[in-house]
């Protein structure tokens, strides 16, 4: 069997190994009952996995048997999935203190924040503080993603039965393909949609890891273990707690130069350019992570997390020797287009089998830190070393180019009026007078920012993966954002309408719930992913002429000047920046001895769900409220026989420059920005366990999980980079205040 195919088959088997648990909760009756099922498959849910995969899977027993036999492994791939399952579970957390471990826990997913220790507060042994996610398909709806108290069992079973029926129907509708890679990614997206809210285990275990997170981490580990000898797999599966075998490589990637890249621009075209630059960095992070995966021959399941300019990959232990060359290729591509402004630090640390397992308690009975927590800290330090030696992996002749003078030096006619970089005149045909003097790269970011106004779909197509990358040379910068992604091996389109998306794409991101439903019903693409993306852009409701005479049409992105003028009270622009306090410590210490790979993945997912998902819904709600108030004022004017032209209209007020990872950056009318900052804080309290009272205020919430934010109020002509810095300084000052 071809090595890559074997790796992908192992990953798919790992991803689907526990789908029978979903079937069992959905009241599915299998082909075998009682002792017969247990004798053949070891567990009833494993038999249901076999039945389900026989019905829908296009890859036959190569995947079905390893997925179903993980409790009674027979073949090499069976043992791969068995060992991966053991390491992913790692082992599962115990039920609350003093509780009989034979008692099943609630059948809904316990919020990871209910068991997280922060500021010396932890509720994992206080079930009165536990909050559970509703059993609903993933959607950015407050009735879906905000946890509450758990439902009675009789209601839960009926919900599982309905969800299982829907899941089976959708799984069967995935287009049969001969290429396992897109099928694997389509199935991953489907399991996320349904399994995000379901506990992987609840009998004799605390139900705080989702079926989705456990399954995708098992898939990642299976891909890493596929090449190990069967004897090693048997030993790992039986004695993982003490096994010294290096089974995986934890790889971290960090895009550096982000702050300077985003903010070091003039105000010419800044309204769209800022958002375009920010989103380009999100695309670059995704493309770079996928570039690394393709270089290593690993599936997308092995991307543990990607966002906020960082990504983490689980690779094979022997892949470490390939990292320097991959880093060199990335450096050459980025230097070609950015001349050193952006760099991706890439490093990895090996993980032994025992590193995935829950540590024994110390002699005094206290819990010890999980080995993986230490490894994350070690990786961060190693990546920082690479980051401080930017481009050191290049050849000596290339380094000479790096430190040689660039461009002509001071020729204003070839200096971009936005970023200040020199460019080749005529490299892009400029039709609009206001675009003259801008380089091709800056024009492309502005275009991307405009395209994002109403974007509903981001389409990706795989290009031939570059087998080698030409050494850097002393030439001018490359083209726009599309060219960078081309060189990483991808074509990308940003589209408003489903019909405008090219038909031969590899996968499509739907960036809103309604866009996902439209594409899902149309069955338009082999891989459709509901991608979390805060995409809130204020638009002009009527034409506008700026103070310096620039003309804007209705529907254009509202310029900062207009956002400031539409403030109620003083004419000021509000700049808001915030992030989660001590997030590194939450990952490092918050889960204690329970910091298994699946639980860390769960914490990452739920932080992303809030900052990359819900924050956008909240911001969009502010803009929609302002629009409704404008309509109400116009209606009142008409009723009084007045002209609508005399009615003050305020329109959209918030502009999402960035929200991802654990931080955010918004610009808008200052009065709405201040209110929005308060709302984000309230929503986070509710998301981490707080409840709405009868007056609509949030009571409770995890007291140790909080954000610090800073707001700067500036005039519309104030330099954007300085305003961002001022907000950052205010944010830092906020961290010094006591909670």
């Amino acid at each position: 069997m071809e090595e890559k195919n074997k790796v992908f088959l192992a990953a798919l088997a790992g991803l689907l190994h526990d789908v029978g648990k979903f079937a069992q909760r959905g009241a599915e009756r299998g082909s075998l009952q009682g002792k017969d099922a247990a004798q053949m498959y070891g567990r009833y849910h494993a038999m249901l996995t076999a039945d389900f995969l026989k019905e829908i899977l296009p890859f036959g027993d190569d995947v079905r048997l390893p997925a179903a036999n993980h409790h009674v492994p027979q073949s090499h791939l069976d043992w791969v999935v068995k060992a991966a399952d053991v390491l992913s579970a790692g082992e599962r957390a115990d039920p609350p203190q003093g509780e009989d471990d034979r008692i099943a826990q609630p059948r809904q997913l316990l919020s990871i924040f209910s068991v997280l220790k922060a500021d010396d507060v932890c509720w994992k042994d206080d079930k009165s503080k536990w909050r559970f996610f509703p059993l609903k398909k993933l959607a950015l709806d407050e009735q879906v993603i905000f946890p509450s108290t758990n439902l009675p069992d009789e209601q839960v079973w009926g919900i599982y039965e309905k969800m299982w029926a829907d899941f089976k129907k959708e799984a069967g509708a995935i287009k049969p393909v001969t290429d396992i890679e897109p099928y694997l990614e389509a199935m991953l997206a489907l399991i996320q949609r349904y399994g995000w809210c379901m506990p992987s285990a609840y009998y004799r275990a605390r139900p705080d890891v989702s079926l989705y997170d456990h399954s995708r981490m098992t898939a990642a580990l299976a891909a890493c273990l596929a090449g190990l000898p069967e004897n090693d797999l048997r030993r790992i599966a039986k004695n993982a707690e003490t096994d010294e075998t290096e089974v995986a490589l934890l790889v971290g990637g960090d895009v550096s130069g982000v702050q300077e890249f985003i903010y070091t621009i003039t105000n010419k075209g800044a309204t769209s350019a800022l958002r375009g630059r920010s989103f380009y960095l999100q695309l670059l992070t995704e493309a770079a992570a996928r570039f690394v995966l393709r270089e290593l021959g690993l599936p997308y399941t092995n991307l543990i997390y990607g966002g906020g300019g960082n990504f983490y990959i689980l690779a094979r232990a022997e892949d470490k020797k390939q990292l320097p060359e991959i880093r060199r290729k990335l450096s050459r591509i980025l230097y070609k287009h950015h001349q050193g402004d952006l760099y991706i630090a890439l490093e990895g640390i090996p993980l032994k089998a025992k590193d995935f397992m829950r540590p024994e308690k110390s002699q005094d009975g206290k819990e010890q830190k999980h080995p993986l927590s230490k490894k994350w800290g070690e990786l961060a330090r190693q990546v920082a070393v690479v980051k401080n030696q930017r481009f050191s992996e290049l050849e000596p002749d290339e380094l000479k180019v790096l430190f040689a003078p660039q461009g002509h030096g001071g020729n204003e006619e070839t200096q971009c009026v936005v970023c200040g970089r020199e460019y080749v005149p005529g490299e892009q045909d400029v039709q609009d007078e206001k675009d003259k003097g801008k380089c091709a790269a800056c024009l492309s970011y502005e275009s991307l920012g405009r395209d994002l106004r109403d974007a509903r779909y981001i389409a990706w197509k795989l290009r031939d993966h570059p087998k080698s990358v030409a050494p850097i040379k002393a030439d001018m910068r490359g083209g726009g954002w599309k060219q960078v992604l081309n060189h990483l091996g991808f074509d990308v389109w940003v589209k408003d309408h489903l019909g405008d998306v090219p038909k031969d794409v590899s996968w499509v991101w739907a960036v809103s719930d309604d866009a996902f439903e439209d594409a899902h019903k149309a069955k338009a693409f082999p891989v459709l992913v509901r991608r979390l993306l805060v995409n809130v852009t204020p638009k002009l409701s009527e034409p506008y002429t700026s103070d310096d005479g620039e003309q804007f049409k209705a529907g254009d992105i509202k310029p900062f000047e207009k956002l400031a003028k539409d403030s109620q009270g003083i004419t000021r622009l509000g700049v808001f920046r915030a992030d989660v306090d001590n997030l590194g410590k939450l990952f490092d210490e918050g889960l204690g001895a329970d910091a298994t790979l699946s639980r860390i993945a769960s914490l990452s997912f739920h932080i992303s769900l809030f900052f990359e998902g819900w924050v956008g819904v909240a911001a969009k709600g502010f803009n929609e409220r302002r629009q409704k108030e404008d309509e109400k004022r116009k209606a009142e004017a008409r009723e009084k026989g007045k002209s609508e032209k005399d009615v003050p209209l305020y329109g959209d007020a918030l502009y999402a420059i960035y929200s991802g990872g654990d931080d955010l950056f918004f610009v808008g009318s200052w009065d709405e920005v201040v209110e929005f900052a308060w709302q984000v804080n309230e929503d986070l309290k509710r998301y981490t366990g707080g409840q709405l009272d009868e007056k609509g205020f949030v009571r409770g919430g995890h007291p140790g999980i909080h954000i610090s934010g800073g707001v700067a109020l500036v005039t519309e002509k104030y330099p954007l980079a300085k305003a961002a810095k001022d907000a950052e300084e205010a944010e830092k000052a906020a961290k010094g205040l006591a909670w």
Side-chain angles (χ1 to χ4, degrees):
M1 185 184 298
E2 183 186 347
E3 184 61 29
K4 178 182 176 182
N5 198 42
K6 183 178 180 180
V7 167
F8 279 71
L9 288 170
L12 182 57
L15 181 68
L16 296 171
H17 79 289
D18 269 351
V19 72
K21 290 184 177 180
F22 188 3
Q24 188 172 10
R25 298 170 199 174
E28 185 74 61
R29 293 186 62 82
S31 57
L32 299 173
Q33 298 297 317
K35 292 182 179 179
D36 292 336
Q39 183 174 0
M40 181 166 287
Y41 294 101
R43 298 286 191 280
Y44 190 73
H45 76 263
M47 180 268 295
L48 292 175
T49 293
D51 287 354
F52 171 70
L53 297 185
K54 186 176 183 180
E55 181 181 343
I56 65 101
L57 199 65
F59 300 100
D61 288 349
D62 286 343
V63 172
R64 186 177 74 90
L65 293 179
N69 290 342
H70 64 280
H71 287 291
V72 286
Q74 300 168 40
S75 71
H76 177 266
L77 274 184
D78 294 357
W79 280 104
V80 167
V81 177
K82 170 69 174 180
D85 184 37
V86 168
L87 297 179
S88 179
E91 282 293 318
R92 294 187 168 99
D94 298 327
Q97 292 181 2
E99 189 163 311
D100 191 332
D101 69 2
R102 293 172 297 178
I103 299 174
Q105 302 299 316
R107 277 77 169 170
Q108 291 170 251
L109 180 66
L110 175 64
S111 169
I112 194 73
F113 301 110
S114 291
V115 300
L116 193 69
K117 183 177 181 180
D119 291 355
D120 295 322
V121 176
C122 186
W123 297 334
K124 68 179 181 181
D125 292 322
D126 183 0
K127 295 183 78 171
S128 68
K129 298 288 183 63
W130 282 13
R131 297 291 179 264
F132 299 84
F133 290 102
L135 285 166
K136 295 184 178 181
K137 288 182 281 189
L138 183 60
L140 289 178
D141 185 303
E142 63 180 327
Q143 301 301 318
V144 175
I145 70 167
F146 282 93
S148 187
T149 53
N150 61 302
L151 296 170
D153 282 352
E154 57 269 21
Q155 293 185 38
V156 168
W157 296 131
I159 298 172
Y160 268 121
E161 192 168 349
K162 174 65 169 62
M163 292 185 73
W164 171 245
D166 291 346
F167 176 84
K168 276 202 306 181
K169 184 177 179 180
E170 291 192 35
I174 295 177
K175 295 179 180 179
V177 290
T178 55
D179 187 353
I180 193 173
E181 189 168 359
Y183 186 89
L184 175 58
E185 195 158 342
M187 191 58 75
L188 176 66
L190 183 61
I191 289 179
Q192 181 194 66
R193 191 180 185 206
Y194 283 86
W196 79 277
C197 60
M198 299 177 184
S200 168
Y202 55 75
Y203 189 65
R204 298 186 177 182
R206 196 173 63 226
D208 58 340
V209 174
S210 72
L211 183 64
Y212 163 64
D213 284 313
H214 172 67
S215 297
R216 70 185 178 107
M217 290 301 99
T218 302
L221 282 160
C224 295
L225 298 173
L228 288 184
E230 187 173 313
N231 286 339
D232 288 353
L233 296 169
R234 288 172 179 265
R235 187 181 65 252
I236 291 167
K238 294 176 180 178
N239 301 294
E241 293 86 352
T242 57
D243 197 279
E244 297 276 347
T245 306
E246 288 188 353
V247 296
L249 184 75
L250 184 61
V251 177
D254 186 339
V255 182
S256 64
V258 169
Q259 298 287 325
E260 295 82 359
F261 176 77
I262 292 181
Y263 304 127
T264 308
I265 59 175
T266 67
N267 281 8
K268 292 181 180 292
T271 309
S272 56
L274 191 63
R275 178 70 181 111
R277 282 172 173 257
S278 174
F279 184 59
Y280 161 65
L281 288 172
Q282 291 176 270
L283 295 175
L284 178 63
T285 302
E286 177 77 12
R290 285 182 177 269
F291 180 91
V292 175
L293 289 171
R294 292 179 80 185
E295 284 280 311
L296 297 176
L298 291 170
Y300 193 64
T301 52
N302 286 58
L303 179 62
I304 301 174
Y305 171 78
N310 298 277
F311 59 84
Y312 297 96
I313 287 170
L314 201 66
R316 294 166 292 245
E318 63 268 23
D319 288 336
K320 186 173 178 64
K321 61 181 177 292
Q322 295 189 52
L323 293 187
E325 179 58 27
I326 296 173
R327 193 164 62 232
R328 185 177 295 114
K329 288 182 179 181
L330 287 171
S331 293
R332 285 170 175 166
I333 292 170
L334 288 185
Y335 185 83
K336 161 70 177 174
H337 293 280
H338 296 292
Q339 290 188 320
D341 290 347
L342 293 177
Y343 175 76
I344 297 179
L346 189 71
E347 190 54 278
I349 57 168
L351 300 175
K352 298 178 179 179
K354 68 178 185 178
D355 292 333
F356 291 87
M357 306 307 290
R358 182 185 175 89
E360 297 290 336
K361 291 184 178 180
S362 60
Q363 292 183 349
D364 58 4
K366 292 183 178 180
E367 286 190 344
Q368 300 185 64
K369 182 186 267 191
H370 197 286
L372 278 182
S373 296
K374 300 175 184 177
K375 293 296 182 179
W376 286 102
E378 182 182 338
L379 177 62
R381 290 189 290 273
Q382 292 294 328
V383 170
V385 170
V386 175
K387 197 172 180 178
N388 289 330
Q389 300 172 346
R390 291 171 56 152
F391 298 104
S392 62
E393 61 278 350
L394 296 177
E395 301 295 338
D397 288 345
E398 295 175 312
L399 289 173
K400 289 180 182 178
V401 174
L402 191 67
F403 291 102
Q406 305 292 313
H408 300 291
N411 188 345
E412 291 187 4
E413 293 181 359
T414 60
Q415 188 175 26
C416 177
V417 297
V418 176
C419 67
R421 282 281 192 180
E422 289 186 44
Y423 69 101
V424 178
E427 64 182 355
Q428 182 159 326
D429 184 23
V430 175
Q431 303 295 329
D432 198 317
E433 184 69 26
K434 70 176 185 292
D435 289 336
K436 289 186 176 180
K438 298 176 183 178
C439 68
C442 285
L443 285 171
S444 81
Y445 303 138
E446 291 184 23
S447 177
L448 178 58
R450 289 191 295 270
D451 289 344
L452 285 167
R453 283 176 297 184
D454 301 301
R456 302 177 79 226
Y457 302 102
I458 313 295
W460 294 71
K461 182 180 179 180
L462 288 171
R463 297 167 63 94
D464 290 337
H465 190 63
K467 292 182 173 58
S468 63
V469 179
I472 65 171
K473 57 183 180 180
D475 58 2
M476 305 300 283
R477 276 191 302 172
W481 65 272
K482 282 180 174 287
Q483 284 69 42
V484 187
L485 301 187
N486 286 166
H487 285 169
L488 287 167
F490 307 95
D491 285 320
V492 180
W493 296 267
V494 179
K495 296 296 182 181
D496 302 352
H497 303 291
L498 185 60
D500 293 336
V501 179
K503 302 302 180 186
D504 59 344
V505 295
S506 303
W507 66 90
V508 173
W509 291 349
V511 298
S512 66
D513 291 338
D514 60 343
F516 179 88
E517 292 300 332
D518 288 346
H520 182 65
K521 290 175 184 175
K523 299 179 182 179
F525 311 111
V527 181
L528 177 66
V529 179
R530 173 62 176 96
R531 179 72 176 200
L532 299 175
L533 175 67
V534 175
N535 187 31
V536 180
T537 305
K539 291 182 289 185
L540 288 165
S541 56
E542 55 189 1
Y544 175 72
T545 303
S546 68
D547 290 346
D548 59 6
E550 188 173 353
Q551 300 287 329
F552 295 89
K553 303 183 298 292
D556 283 351
I557 298 176
K558 183 182 283 191
F560 291 156
E561 176 184 295
K562 187 72 166 82
L563 284 170
K565 289 181 177 179
D566 283 344
S567 299
Q568 298 189 46
I570 60 174
T571 301
R572 290 290 186 275
L573 195 67
V575 180
F576 172 47
R577 297 183 68 175
D579 67 3
V580 176
D581 296 318
N582 302 316
L583 184 66
K585 187 176 181 181
L586 292 181
F587 274 92
D588 186 41
E589 302 176 6
L591 293 168
D594 298 332
T596 62
L597 184 64
S598 297
R599 203 166 273 110
I600 290 171
S602 184
L603 179 58
S604 294
F605 172 75
H606 285 285
I607 289 175
S608 296
L609 186 59
F610 183 83
F611 284 97
E612 297 173 22
W614 180 253
V615 166
V617 175
K620 187 177 179 181
F622 270 69
N623 283 347
E624 289 175 346
R625 176 178 58 79
R626 294 258 294 207
Q627 293 166 12
K628 289 177 181 177
E629 289 173 353
D630 283 349
E631 291 301 319
K632 183 179 178 181
R633 279 191 288 270
K634 287 194 291 186
E636 290 173 349
R638 288 194 297 268
E639 289 176 3
K640 296 177 181 178
K642 296 182 179 179
S643 171
E644 292 183 7
K645 295 181 179 180
D646 298 327
V647 178
L649 302 178
Y650 299 104
D652 296 345
L654 291 178
Y655 194 0
I657 304 303
Y658 177 76
S659 183
D662 72 313
D663 61 343
L664 51 88
F665 176 36
F666 275 76
V667 176
S669 302
W670 78 267
D671 53 314
E672 295 289 345
V673 164
V674 171
E675 274 197 53
F676 176 67
W678 179 85
Q679 187 64 55
V680 169
N681 190 52
E682 287 292 288
D683 288 347
L684 183 61
K685 288 193 292 185
R686 185 180 170 198
Y687 188 68
T688 59
Q691 300 290 294
L692 288 173
D693 63 16
E694 62 280 1
K695 295 183 179 179
F697 292 101
V698 180
R699 304 299 179 192
H702 198 305
I705 304 171
H706 37 72
I707 61 172
S708 290
V711 177
L713 306 186
V714 300
T715 63
E716 62 271 26
K717 299 297 184 183
Y718 196 78
L720 185 64
K722 183 68 169 64
K725 189 68 176 177
D726 291 346
E728 183 182 28
E729 291 300 320
E731 179 188 342
K732 290 178 181 177
K735 290 185 180 296
L737 302 177
W739 281 84

